Amino acid sequence: MSKVNEIIKFAGLNLKNPVFTASGTCGYIDELDDYMDIEQLGGWITKSITLKPRKGNPAPRVVETNGGMLNAIGLANIGVEKFIAEKLPLIRQKDTAVFVNVAGQKIDEYVELASKLSDKDGISGLELNISCPNVKEGGISFGTDPAQIKEITSEVKPACGDKPLMVKLTPSVTDISKTAEAAVIGGADALSLVNTFTAMVIDVRSRTPVLANRTGGLSGPAIKPMAVYLVSRVYQDVAKYAEIPIMGLGGIRNGSDAAEFMIAGASAVSVGTSTFASPDASLRVADGLRRFCESEGIKKISELTGSLN
Ligand SMILES: Cc1cc2nc3c(=O)[nH]c(=O)nc-3n(C[C@H](O)[C@H](O)[C@H](O)COP(=O)(O)O)c2cc1C
């Protein structure tokens, strides 16, 4: 029996531990239900959901890189009605926090999604995806402009009822503290950072980009030091004063990576790309974080948050 207290308070929720799965890398729960005990996780963040089903971008839409991967999935998903009818019943049975990630092209679409989802049992909170680099409208175009972030957050927040709203930030900005501050002023209950970094891989023989979308989002261990820096920036400049928790992510593979994000200022962490290498990577991260705390004599995992010297 672990001597470490893992209970984490996050945007009004009590989590069993601070480790989540990251949006878009673990589907809607049923995909990984046979591979791991989902209830041992702090929480789950679903793939982005839009009002209407989306096919996403043409293939090829993923490519491996040194220490990571590029994806340009383009928010392929089953749409909110099918999500509610087919995926929510299983989600509801799971005793773990579930954030539903929502995406759209117009503010009204985000508001409609939030009102369709926020009155449903089994959903703990919503994550606003305003940072997808792989779609033409919405996505990252909202997420790079503080004025639009404030507007969309303040319009979606009332549609969330009593459920917390987490805003997912893009790293592809000059000053992430400005976008974080805009989300907080708009009423965000939590911030998640980071989404992928816009990037390109070129086939040198054909001299064409490898991805059909030409560009994609870089994720995985290659982005971890940049993501840790951005979490630290937002914690020091915004989150610490506003008392807004941060969900940190970007290349987390093990307990020590998770601890690094928490020391930088994250209250919880998510595991994305590592899941493609091993489906139960998030559980291993949770276990590794527990063992790290034991070996360091840390009694409460939450003590790590913002403990950077
Ligand atoms: C294949 C793939 C699909 C993704 N789809 C989404 C998505 O639908 N919505 C979203 O907000 N983020 C999406 N992301 C971004 C991840 O949630 C995460 O922010 C990013 O990959 C960094 O974490 P990681 O390095 O642990 O993967 C996706 C990432 C990958 C690799």
Side-chain angles (χ1 to χ4, degrees), residues 48 75 101-104 110 127-135 138-144 149 167-172 192-198 217:
S48 281
L75 302 180
N101 180 301
V102 293
Y110 284 90
E127 181 179 53
L128 202 62
N129 180 4
I130 48 167
S131 42
C132 179
N134 305 317
V135 289
I140 204 166
S141 63
F142 284 120
T144 49
I149 293 176
V167 177
K168 185 165 183 180
L169 300 176
T170 173
S172 300
S192 51
L193 54 143
V194 292
N195 208 316
T196 53
F197 289 71
T198 305

Coordinates of all heavy atoms in Angstrom, one line a residue, residues 48 75 101-104 110 127-135 138-144 149 167-172 192-198 217:
S48 N -11.4 15.3 -29.5 CA -12.2 16.4 -29.8 C -13.5 16.0 -30.4 O -13.5 15.1 -31.3 CB -11.5 17.4 -30.7 OG -10.6 18.1 -30.0
L75 N -9.2 16.7 -36.7 CA -10.4 16.6 -35.8 C -11.5 15.5 -36.4 O -12.7 15.8 -36.2 CB -11.1 17.9 -35.6 CG -10.2 19.0 -34.9 CD1 -11.0 20.3 -34.8 CD2 -9.7 18.5 -33.6
N101 N -13.5 17.0 -24.7 CA -12.9 18.1 -25.5 C -13.8 18.5 -26.6 O -14.3 17.6 -27.4 CB -11.5 17.5 -26.0 CG -10.7 18.5 -26.8 OD1 -11.2 19.0 -27.8 ND2 -9.5 18.8 -26.3
V102 N -14.1 19.8 -26.7 CA -15.0 20.2 -27.8 C -14.3 21.2 -28.7 O -13.4 21.9 -28.3 CB -16.2 20.9 -27.2 CG1 -17.1 19.9 -26.5 CG2 -15.9 22.1 -26.3
A103 N -14.7 21.1 -30.0 CA -14.1 21.9 -31.0 C -15.1 22.4 -32.0 O -16.2 21.8 -32.2 CB -13.0 21.1 -31.8
G104 N -14.9 23.6 -32.6 CA -15.8 24.1 -33.6 C -15.2 25.1 -34.5 O -14.0 25.4 -34.3
Y110 N -19.4 26.1 -30.3 CA -18.8 25.7 -29.0 C -19.9 25.8 -27.9 O -20.0 25.0 -27.1 CB -17.7 26.6 -28.6 CG -16.3 26.3 -29.4 CD1 -16.0 26.9 -30.6 CD2 -15.4 25.4 -28.8 CE1 -14.8 26.7 -31.2 CE2 -14.2 25.2 -29.4 CZ -13.9 25.8 -30.6 OH -12.7 25.6 -31.2
E127 N -13.3 20.5 -22.0 CA -12.0 21.1 -22.4 C -12.3 21.8 -23.8 O -12.8 21.2 -24.7 CB -10.9 20.1 -22.5 CG -9.6 20.7 -22.9 CD -8.4 19.7 -23.1 OE1 -8.6 18.7 -23.8 OE2 -7.4 19.9 -22.4
L128 N -11.9 23.1 -23.8 CA -12.2 23.9 -25.0 C -10.9 23.8 -25.9 O -9.8 24.3 -25.5 CB -12.4 25.3 -24.6 CG -13.1 26.3 -25.4 CD1 -14.5 25.9 -25.7 CD2 -13.1 27.7 -24.8
N129 N -11.1 23.1 -27.1 CA -9.9 23.0 -28.0 C -10.0 24.3 -28.9 O -10.7 24.3 -29.9 CB -10.0 21.7 -28.8 CG -8.8 21.6 -29.8 OD1 -8.0 22.5 -29.8 ND2 -8.8 20.6 -30.6
I130 N -9.1 25.2 -28.6 CA -9.0 26.4 -29.4 C -7.6 26.4 -30.0 O -7.0 27.5 -30.2 CB -9.3 27.7 -28.7 CG1 -8.6 27.8 -27.4 CG2 -10.8 27.9 -28.6 CD1 -8.7 29.2 -26.7
S131 N -7.0 25.2 -30.1 CA -5.5 25.2 -30.4 C -5.2 24.2 -31.4 O -4.0 23.9 -31.6 CB -4.8 25.0 -29.1 OG -5.4 24.0 -28.3
C132 N -6.2 23.6 -32.1 CA -5.8 22.6 -33.1 C -5.1 23.3 -34.3 O -5.7 24.2 -35.0 CB -7.1 21.9 -33.6 SG -6.6 20.6 -34.9
P133 N -3.9 22.8 -34.7 CA -3.2 23.5 -35.8 C -3.7 22.9 -37.2 O -3.2 23.4 -38.2 CB -1.8 23.1 -35.6 CG -1.8 21.8 -34.8 CD -3.1 21.8 -34.1
N134 N -4.6 21.9 -37.2 CA -4.8 21.2 -38.4 C -6.1 21.4 -39.1 O -6.6 20.6 -39.9 CB -4.6 19.7 -38.2 CG -3.2 19.4 -37.6 OD1 -2.3 20.0 -38.0 ND2 -3.2 18.6 -36.5
V135 N -6.8 22.5 -38.7 CA -8.1 22.8 -39.4 C -8.1 24.2 -39.9 O -7.4 25.0 -39.3 CB -9.3 22.6 -38.4 CG1 -9.5 21.1 -38.1 CG2 -9.1 23.3 -37.1
G138 N -11.6 28.1 -37.1 CA -11.7 27.8 -35.7 C -10.4 27.4 -35.2 O -9.4 27.9 -35.6
G139 N -10.3 26.4 -34.3 CA -9.0 25.8 -33.9 C -8.0 26.9 -33.5 O -8.3 27.8 -32.7
I140 N -6.8 26.8 -34.1 CA -5.7 27.7 -33.7 C -6.0 29.1 -34.0 O -5.4 30.0 -33.3 CB -4.4 27.2 -34.3 CG1 -3.2 27.6 -33.5 CG2 -4.3 27.6 -35.8 CD1 -2.0 26.9 -33.9
S141 N -6.9 29.4 -35.0 CA -7.1 30.8 -35.3 C -7.8 31.6 -34.1 O -7.6 32.7 -33.9 CB -8.0 31.0 -36.6 OG -9.2 30.4 -36.4
F142 N -8.6 30.8 -33.3 CA -9.1 31.5 -32.1 C -8.0 31.6 -31.0 O -7.8 32.6 -30.3 CB -10.1 30.6 -31.4 CG -11.5 30.5 -32.0 CD1 -12.0 29.4 -32.5 CD2 -12.2 31.7 -32.1 CE1 -13.3 29.4 -33.1 CE2 -13.5 31.7 -32.6 CZ -14.0 30.5 -33.2
G143 N -7.2 30.5 -31.0 CA -6.3 30.3 -29.8 C -5.0 31.2 -29.8 O -4.2 31.2 -28.9
T144 N -4.8 31.9 -30.9 CA -3.6 32.8 -31.0 C -4.0 34.3 -30.7 O -3.1 35.1 -30.6 CB -2.9 32.7 -32.4 OG1 -4.0 32.9 -33.3 CG2 -2.3 31.4 -32.6
I149 N -10.0 34.7 -27.5 CA -10.0 33.7 -26.4 C -10.9 34.1 -25.3 O -11.7 33.3 -24.7 CB -8.5 33.4 -25.9 CG1 -7.7 32.8 -26.9 CG2 -8.5 32.6 -24.6 CD1 -6.2 32.6 -26.6
V167 N -9.4 25.4 -20.6 CA -9.1 25.9 -21.9 C -7.7 25.4 -22.4 O -6.8 25.6 -21.6 CB -9.2 27.5 -21.9 CG1 -8.8 28.0 -23.3 CG2 -10.6 27.9 -21.6
K168 N -7.7 24.8 -23.5 CA -6.4 24.2 -24.0 C -5.7 25.2 -24.9 O -6.2 25.6 -25.9 CB -6.7 22.9 -24.7 CG -5.4 22.1 -25.1 CD -5.7 20.7 -25.5 CE -4.5 19.9 -25.8 NZ -4.8 18.6 -26.2
L169 N -4.5 25.5 -24.5 CA -3.7 26.6 -25.2 C -2.7 26.0 -26.2 O -2.2 24.9 -26.0 CB -2.9 27.4 -24.2 CG -3.8 28.1 -23.1 CD1 -2.8 28.8 -22.1 CD2 -4.7 29.1 -23.7
T170 N -2.5 26.8 -27.3 CA -1.5 26.4 -28.3 C -0.2 27.0 -27.8 O -0.1 28.1 -27.3 CB -1.9 27.0 -29.7 OG1 -0.8 26.7 -30.5 CG2 -2.1 28.5 -29.7
P171 N 0.9 26.3 -28.1 CA 2.3 26.8 -27.9 C 2.7 27.8 -29.0 O 3.7 28.5 -28.8 CB 3.1 25.6 -27.8 CG 2.5 24.6 -28.8 CD 1.0 24.9 -28.6
S172 N 1.9 27.8 -30.1 CA 2.4 28.5 -31.3 C 2.0 30.0 -31.2 O 1.3 30.5 -32.0 CB 1.8 27.9 -32.6 OG 2.3 26.6 -32.7
S192 N -5.1 24.0 -19.9 CA -4.3 22.8 -20.3 C -3.3 23.3 -21.4 O -3.7 24.0 -22.3 CB -5.1 21.6 -20.8 OG -6.0 22.0 -21.7
L193 N -2.1 22.9 -21.2 CA -1.0 23.3 -22.1 C 0.1 22.3 -22.0 O 0.4 21.8 -20.9 CB -0.5 24.7 -21.9 CG -0.1 25.2 -20.5 CD1 1.1 26.1 -20.7 CD2 -1.2 25.9 -19.8
V194 N 0.5 21.8 -23.2 CA 0.3 22.4 -24.5 C -0.3 21.5 -25.5 O -0.3 20.3 -25.4 CB 1.6 22.9 -25.1 CG1 2.2 24.1 -24.3 CG2 2.6 21.8 -25.3
N195 N -0.9 22.1 -26.6 CA -1.3 21.4 -27.7 C 0.0 21.2 -28.6 O 1.1 21.6 -28.1 CB -2.4 22.1 -28.5 CG -3.3 21.1 -29.3 OD1 -2.8 20.2 -29.9 ND2 -4.6 21.3 -29.3
T196 N -0.1 20.7 -29.8 CA 1.1 20.4 -30.6 C 1.7 21.7 -31.2 O 1.0 22.7 -31.3 CB 0.7 19.4 -31.7 OG1 -0.5 20.0 -32.4 CG2 0.3 18.1 -31.2
F197 N 2.9 21.6 -31.6 CA 3.6 22.7 -32.2 C 3.5 22.5 -33.7 O 3.9 21.4 -34.3 CB 5.1 22.6 -31.9 CG 5.4 23.0 -30.4 CD1 5.1 22.2 -29.4 CD2 6.1 24.2 -30.1 CE1 5.4 22.5 -28.1 CE2 6.4 24.5 -28.8 CZ 6.1 23.7 -27.8
T198 N 3.1 23.6 -34.4 CA 3.0 23.5 -35.9 C 4.4 23.2 -36.5 O 5.4 23.8 -36.2 CB 2.5 24.8 -36.5 OG1 1.2 25.0 -35.8 CG2 2.2 24.7 -38.0
G217 N 1.0 18.8 -36.4 CA 1.4 19.2 -35.1 C 2.4 18.2 -34.5 O 2.2 17.0 -34.5

